[in-house]
Amino acid sequence: MLSKSPRLRRILLAYTINELGTWFGYVALALGVYDHTHSAIATAGLFVARGLLPALLAPVLVARIERSERRGRVAWLYLLEATLTIALAALLWHFWLPGVLVLVTLDGAVAVAATALVRASATRVAVADALSADERNLDATERQAQTEAAQRRASAALNFAFMGTFMLGPAIGGLLVHAVGGPIALLLDATTFIVCAALLSALSTHIEQTSEDSIRGRLRAVLEHLRAVPDLRVLFICEALAIVFFASVEPVEVLYAKSTLNAGDLGYGLLVAAWGAGAAVGALVFAHSVRRPLAPMLTGGTLLVGLGYLGFAAAPTLAVACCAGVLGGVGNGIQWPSFISAIQQLTPGALHGRLMSAVGSLNALCPAIGFILGGTIAALSSPRVAMVVAGFGYLPPVAGA
């Protein structure tokens, strides 16, 4: 079990603290940029800056770090994030938008790389602990089963931490910004990175490479693996589509809650909380399903998210919309770790870090496309139509899964 492994506990604690602090920074920057510019375009530029270039830089950074035999490389990434976040706090005090966008771009690349390395390390440690704890002489089939179960347990634990911070982080971040201001919230975010660096100061992320041991060679190994495993390519394409449609709802939710449902600020908060609560339930479901086949869980989770959006589109009242949000959140809590576990099962352990950076790149790049899609549809028609498009947009990923 994860709770019996001190190394995994440290990794999981660092991951949780990092995700929670990231929400503080996310909320502080979004509100700070909007308050200083009163421009939705400038605020959207913030998210684009955090997505486009980091999506290209993060895999290169991961490949470079995995070459190093020195411990604590992830800790240095977290210390770099702390430094960049402190600089962002200063730029919110004396606001300068170009500087904010440059620092957010750099921070985005470091954040994607650090998260990918932490996820890969958690899986690697979980597998090593599980196999060392089993004193039997395992044949190949038993060893593979033990490996996959350990990977699923690690993914479930990280997913539960992620969904928990997803439920609590935005609310705490909003309260912090309201109480002490955006710059102070960013300084607290920087403090969380320093704590993470301390927790992971001894973590090794070195991966041996028997073929060409250059950054280019390590990246080429990932591309060759993607070419050799068609199912992996299909998973990435389907998840990219899913993320686009998932993100397309985000710029519409406020307008949907306040204008379409006439629910006000409180209604918007309840809608987000309902989705977060459902996601926490979904995370628990996945955590108790480590021996079940992944394909039905991935398909079912994706379908539930789509049905949640269609429920938003049809909901006549806030109460009905919240029920739809819980349903979609459950799907979200099941779908994402199922996708991560499927990627890991189709990939050798030595490539997990670089594949996780590719997943992080999807998460950085695809939302920028989704924001544009959802905002455009809502502007040309209505929030309900944007929800319908998002709901039916999930059907191709369901078929692919």
Side-chain angles (χ1 to χ4, degrees):
M1 294 295 291
L2 290 175
S3 59
K4 296 180 181 179
S5 170
R7 293 189 299 170
L8 276 173
R9 285 202 299 268
R10 283 196 300 274
I11 293 173
L12 181 58
L13 180 59
Y15 179 84
T16 305
I17 292 171
N18 174 51
E19 290 297 323
L20 189 62
T22 296
W23 278 112
F24 300 167
Y26 180 92
V27 173
L29 284 171
L31 293 177
V33 168
Y34 184 78
D35 287 343
H36 281 92
T37 65
H38 300 288
S39 169
I41 294 176
T43 306
L46 179 72
F47 299 118
V48 172
R50 191 172 175 83
L52 295 179
L53 193 56
L56 301 175
L57 294 178
V60 177
L61 187 55
V62 168
R64 183 179 182 86
I65 289 172
E66 286 185 340
R67 290 184 68 201
S68 174
E69 296 184 12
R70 295 182 61 181
R71 293 179 178 272
R73 290 299 188 183
V74 172
W76 281 106
L77 286 181
Y78 280 128
L79 290 176
L80 179 56
E81 277 201 83
T83 303
L84 291 169
T85 305
I86 291 170
L88 282 168
L91 286 179
L92 278 194
W93 258 310
H94 302 284
F95 188 73
W96 185 43
L97 182 60
V100 169
L101 295 179
V102 170
L103 291 180
V104 163
T105 299
L106 295 174
D107 181 68
V110 175
V112 171
T115 300
L117 289 166
V118 168
R119 274 194 165 272
S121 297
T123 301
R124 189 163 56 249
V125 170
V127 170
D129 286 350
L131 293 179
S132 64
D134 196 326
E135 298 178 354
R136 297 174 300 160
N137 291 322
L138 302 176
D139 61 27
T141 301
E142 291 174 326
R143 188 177 182 85
Q144 181 64 23
Q146 285 280 69
T147 297
E148 291 182 1
Q151 290 174 345
R152 294 274 290 273
R153 285 194 294 269
S155 183
L158 291 168
N159 180 61
F160 189 74
F162 176 80
M163 292 304 172
T165 57
F166 173 67
M167 182 171 60
L168 299 175
I172 298 174
L175 288 173
L176 279 174
V177 173
H178 177 74
V180 299
I184 299 298
L186 282 171
L187 292 179
L188 290 173
D189 182 19
T191 302
T192 66
F193 293 133
I194 294 171
V195 173
C196 292
L199 286 169
L200 300 181
S201 60
L203 182 67
S204 173
T205 52
H206 175 65
I207 299 295
E208 293 286 348
Q209 175 112 341
T210 55
S211 58
E212 182 186 349
D213 192 22
S214 64
I215 295 174
R216 181 177 297 179
R218 286 173 177 265
L219 294 175
R220 187 183 300 117
V222 175
L223 293 176
E224 290 173 354
H225 181 65
L226 284 169
R227 281 196 292 265
V229 185
D231 287 348
L232 194 58
R233 295 199 303 272
V234 171
L235 271 175
F236 267 96
I237 292 169
C238 289
E239 190 64 21
L241 287 172
I243 293 172
V244 166
F245 287 108
F246 182 87
S248 72
V249 172
E250 292 188 34
V252 180
E253 284 180 318
V254 175
L255 184 61
Y256 170 75
K258 299 182 71 170
S259 177
T260 303
L261 297 178
N262 296 312
D265 292 339
L266 178 60
Y268 171 68
L270 289 173
L271 202 62
V272 174
W275 190 283
V281 172
L284 284 173
V285 171
F286 180 84
H288 287 87
S289 307
V290 293
R291 296 289 183 180
R292 294 182 180 178
L294 280 173
M297 296 182 68
L298 182 58
T299 302
T302 307
L303 180 61
L304 287 178
V305 174
L307 290 176
Y309 289 147
L310 293 177
F312 281 166
T317 65
L318 176 64
V320 176
C322 285
C323 290
V326 171
L327 181 68
V330 171
N332 191 185
I334 296 172
Q335 193 267 356
W336 180 249
S338 298
F339 167 69
I340 296 294
S341 295
I343 292 292
Q344 291 173 339
Q345 285 188 11
L346 293 170
T347 304
L351 294 180
H352 278 182
R354 278 160 276 172
L355 261 296
M356 288 301 100
S357 72
V359 171
S361 294
L362 281 186
N363 255 341
L365 179 61
C366 293
I369 302 171
F371 294 154
I372 296 170
L373 175 66
T376 301
I377 294 172
L380 295 176
S381 52
S382 72
R384 288 193 189 274
V385 173
M387 298 294 183
V388 170
V389 171
F392 282 109
Y394 260 76
L395 292 181
V398 169

